[in-house]
Structures are given as C-alpha cells and as structure tokens.
Amino acid sequence: MKVKDVMHKGVDWVSPDTPITELAKLMRAHDIGCIPIGEDDKLVGMVTDRDIVCKGLASHGFDAGRAKARDVMTEGIHCCREDDDLAKAMHHMEKLQVRRLPVINKSKRMVGIISLGDVGHSTSGDMLTETVRSVSAHH
C-alpha cells in the first residue's frame, strides 16, 4: 500500500505570520491537531496544538493576542512522498517519534498529510500497535 492511498488530501499551509488565535480556530474548524507553515513557496515548519500550549500558553509572559505561528512552530520539517510504501512512512514516523507527516509529490509540492489515525484505518493491528508504541515512547 502507498502513502497516497491513505493520506488526507488537499491540505493547506499558512504563513509564519499567521496569528496563533487563527491557527487554533482553523484546528477547531477542521478537527485537526497540526498545521504546516510555509514561506516563499516551501514548507518551513509545523504548529501542533501541543506547540500552542507548551511553547505558547505555558511560557512566561506569552501574549496569545499578539503571538504568531513563528513564535511556537517547530522549525524544519520532515516529509514523506506520496509514492512511498506505507511501511516506509510508518518507520519514518517511528524514528522521528511524530504522529503526522506532510506528504509531497515528485515536484516537492505538499499534497496531503498522513497521521497515525490514517494509518489506523488502513493497516494491520500489529503494525499499527508497534508504530504507536514507538511514536509514543518517552524521548
């Protein structure tokens, strides 16, 4: 099975200057836990709901009304390709201990995101159990 067979398609990204209040509203409206951040036509990071809480709200002197995506995003981004085998993408998620990966095509354009939830709907229980165990292990 290929990544493109199980990923969420049509995912958008936002600018690093997007207010985090807008990010939170987008996450709520689309029932998602992360938003890719892009600048100059390339992905530069990711903001998760956990980033907003741990790097933002829990920080001393944090002003949620003025904060931008760049203030809480995890810089750098790991991706997989839409034509990768699902097992390869799962191994990548395990190694990085991440729950989601942006998916790019041959032109290096983001075409979707694959999450543990997507994997859960498409793979055997044993394979999913091992991936979740690895991703969730303490760092």
Side-chain angles (χ1 to χ4, degrees):
M1 185 174 294
K2 300 291 185 186
V3 168
K4 65 183 171 189
D5 299 324
V6 300
M7 70 182 189
H8 277 87
K9 296 175 175 78
V11 176
D12 291 322
W13 49 271
V14 300
S15 159
D17 293 320
T18 303
I20 65 159
T21 52
E22 182 64 26
L23 294 178
K25 289 175 186 175
L26 287 168
M27 288 179 184
R28 181 182 62 200
H30 296 286
D31 193 26
I32 56 176
C34 73
I35 297 180
I37 308 300
E39 187 171 48
D40 298 327
D41 203 33
K42 67 179 180 175
L43 293 174
V44 295
M46 183 82 75
V47 172
T48 66
D49 45 9
R50 181 173 166 79
D51 290 331
I52 292 171
V53 172
C54 294
K55 294 178 184 176
L57 297 174
S59 296
H60 179 70
F62 183 76
D63 183 352
R66 302 180 107 182
K68 308 287 186 201
R70 73 173 71 255
D71 299 324
V72 298
M73 76 179 190
T74 299
E75 292 188 42
I77 198 152
H78 294 274
C79 301
C80 61
R81 295 188 182 272
E82 65 181 345
D83 291 325
D84 285 348
D85 286 328
L86 183 57
K88 178 180 177 181
M90 291 173 66
H91 179 70
H92 197 55
M93 293 168 83
E94 288 176 32
K95 189 170 119 181
L96 296 169
Q97 290 188 299
V98 297
R99 291 166 169 75
R100 307 163 191 97
L101 281 175
V103 180
I104 59 174
N105 63 16
K106 291 177 184 175
S107 301
K108 297 186 179 180
R109 298 280 183 214
M110 186 175 68
V111 293
I113 287 186
I114 187 166
S115 70
L116 286 180
D118 300 325
V119 171
H121 295 293
S122 306
T123 190
S124 72
D126 291 342
M127 191 174 198
L128 177 62
T129 299
E130 184 55 37
T131 301
V132 170
R133 184 175 291 128
S134 295
V135 166
S136 301
H138 290 287
H139 296 69

